[in-house]
Amino acid sequence: MTRKLIIDCDPGQDDAINLFLALPPTEDYEILGITVVAGNVGLEKVSRNARLLCELTGRIDVPVYEGCAAPLKYPLVTAEEVHSREGLEGVELFEPSIKAQNQNAVDFIVETLMAAEDNSITLVPTGPLTNIAAALQKEPKVAGKIQEIVLMGGALREGGNITPSAEFNIYVDPHAAQTVFDSGCKCIVFGLDVTHQVLSSDAVLERIKAVDNKVAQTAYNLLTYYGRFDAEKYGSNGAPLHDPCTMAYILKPELFDLKECNIRVEADSELTRGHTAVDFWYATELPRNSLWAYKVDSEGFFDLLVGQLGKYG
């Protein structure tokens, strides 16, 4: 049976690279829809960006749904300083011919899951978890329809990238993140500990630049801009590719080492809002509600990325 995916995102340069990984036609999975959530930039811009990326890749058959414009409780925090005011620095922006679906993303997620067999649909969220949490709150029965939630968020040893304690996606909507981790769904979590192991170095950029098609050249332009900010921040050769770890796992799970852990989220502390308490060494007897990615074959990751980009030729 073909695997069925819903990709939930907030494009964003690394979301764009994740979609480039996901969108080459394949018999391995079917993308039922792309849902967008306010995060890296506001909802109107992430919607345009997702539709633009679908058009750029020729995947005008994939419907895009607009979801939550703000977190469950907090005001929206965005990341224009990383991703630019429009969210896609490096892409020549245009208004896509693809229009967003009339149905709200949360309603689409609920309706699609409720119509599915149990344990049959994979959710791939790479932004704040607001849409996913809102769907779980609206209809708790959808949890039984979810095969797994493959998400980007959190940090353990790497600390945080928006505060000393928190990774951006979890910080923006910690209440949504805790709802997801408490849902009973199988969560596979790609936090900064593993995403900082896949850097878009100069050598990687040259490999991407050598792929002779428009999508690969767009990826090169995106990552050239994206890398400047993170290289200055972290003193590294290139930017960490956070979100693409999720689709890399879908495509080739053997690239990653995972460990069953309990993950809890600090939602209300002013000092540590969005902190992910990952019980990696089993200091508690709390149920292991997640698989935490802690190691990746970075060479294999970039072989996969370059191979997927080559499929757009």
Side-chain angles (χ1 to χ4, degrees):
M1 186 174 66
T2 302
R3 189 172 192 176
K4 298 183 185 301
L5 309 180
I6 296 173
I7 299 175
D8 186 74
C9 56
D10 61 338
Q13 279 104 337
D14 55 333
D15 297 85
I17 303 302
N18 195 52
L19 290 175
F20 290 166
L21 269 173
L23 288 171
T26 178
E27 295 182 357
D28 293 335
Y29 53 80
E30 176 187 2
I31 301 174
L32 302 177
I34 294 171
T35 55
V36 294
V37 64
N40 287 321
V41 289
L43 186 65
E44 182 179 343
K45 291 180 179 180
V46 296
S47 172
R48 177 205 59 202
N49 292 348
R51 291 179 283 118
L52 181 156
L53 293 164
C54 286
E55 195 160 309
L56 181 67
T57 57
R59 293 303 305 274
I60 61 174
D61 58 306
V62 179
V64 176
Y65 299 83
E66 297 176 350
C68 297
L72 296 180
K73 294 187 179 180
Y74 287 124
L76 177 64
V77 175
T78 55
E80 280 91 346
E81 72 280 5
V82 179
H83 297 274
S84 79
R85 288 197 320 178
E86 301 299 322
L88 281 184
E89 185 75 22
V91 172
E92 186 175 341
L93 295 174
F94 59 89
E95 187 58 37
S97 61
I98 304 168
K99 303 302 181 185
Q101 301 295 306
N102 291 328
Q103 187 179 30
N104 177 270
V106 175
D107 294 335
F108 163 73
I109 292 169
V110 170
E111 182 178 295
T112 303
L113 288 173
M114 290 305 294
E117 296 181 5
D118 290 350
N119 195 38
S120 64
I121 294 180
T122 295
L123 306 183
V124 188
T126 58
L129 289 163
T130 317
N131 285 344
I132 311 303
L136 288 163
Q137 291 177 348
K138 184 169 185 175
E139 177 48 83
K141 291 179 182 177
V142 300
K145 307 291 186 173
I146 297 170
Q147 182 179 11
E148 55 192 15
I149 302 175
V150 180
L151 69 96
M152 189 278 136
L156 174 58
R157 296 177 180 88
E158 287 291 318
N161 62 355
I162 185 168
T163 73
S165 299
E167 179 275 328
F168 176 80
N169 286 342
I170 307 298
Y171 176 86
V172 170
D173 199 342
H175 298 94
Q178 191 59 60
T179 296
V180 170
F181 289 128
D182 286 344
S183 68
C185 297
K186 179 182 180 182
C187 294
I188 303 173
V189 186
F190 296 85
L192 302 183
D193 293 32
V194 74
T195 67
H196 281 189
Q197 297 174 37
V198 284
L199 301 177
S200 56
S201 66
D202 293 341
V204 166
L205 290 178
E206 287 305 309
R207 289 186 67 188
I208 293 172
K209 187 178 182 181
V211 180
D212 187 18
N213 65 56
K214 186 175 182 179
V215 175
Q217 296 309 304
T218 302
Y220 172 80
N221 293 337
L222 283 165
L223 291 175
T224 298
Y225 172 85
Y226 183 56
R228 290 201 299 266
F229 177 87
D230 280 333
E232 182 177 345
K233 178 175 181 176
Y234 297 111
S236 60
N237 180 10
L241 296 189
H242 306 293
D243 297 341
C245 286
T246 59
M247 278 308 306
Y249 173 80
I250 297 289
L251 289 159
K252 199 168 184 180
E254 62 270 23
L255 290 173
F256 297 91
D257 289 347
L258 308 169
K259 185 175 181 179
E260 284 190 301
C261 297
N262 178 270
I263 300 179
R264 289 179 292 168
V265 178
E266 175 52 60
D268 299 309
S269 166
E270 182 177 344
L271 178 63
T272 59
R273 165 185 160 183
H275 171 70
T276 41
V278 182
D279 190 4
F280 194 83
W281 298 118
Y282 305 146
T284 73
E285 295 182 0
L286 293 168
R288 299 171 190 176
N289 60 1
S290 302
L291 284 168
W292 176 257
Y294 63 93
K295 188 177 180 182
V296 58
D297 172 3
S298 59
E299 183 175 348
F301 175 96
F302 286 113
D303 287 344
L304 174 65
L305 174 58
V306 171
Q308 289 294 98
L309 290 173
K311 293 180 180 179
Y312 292 104

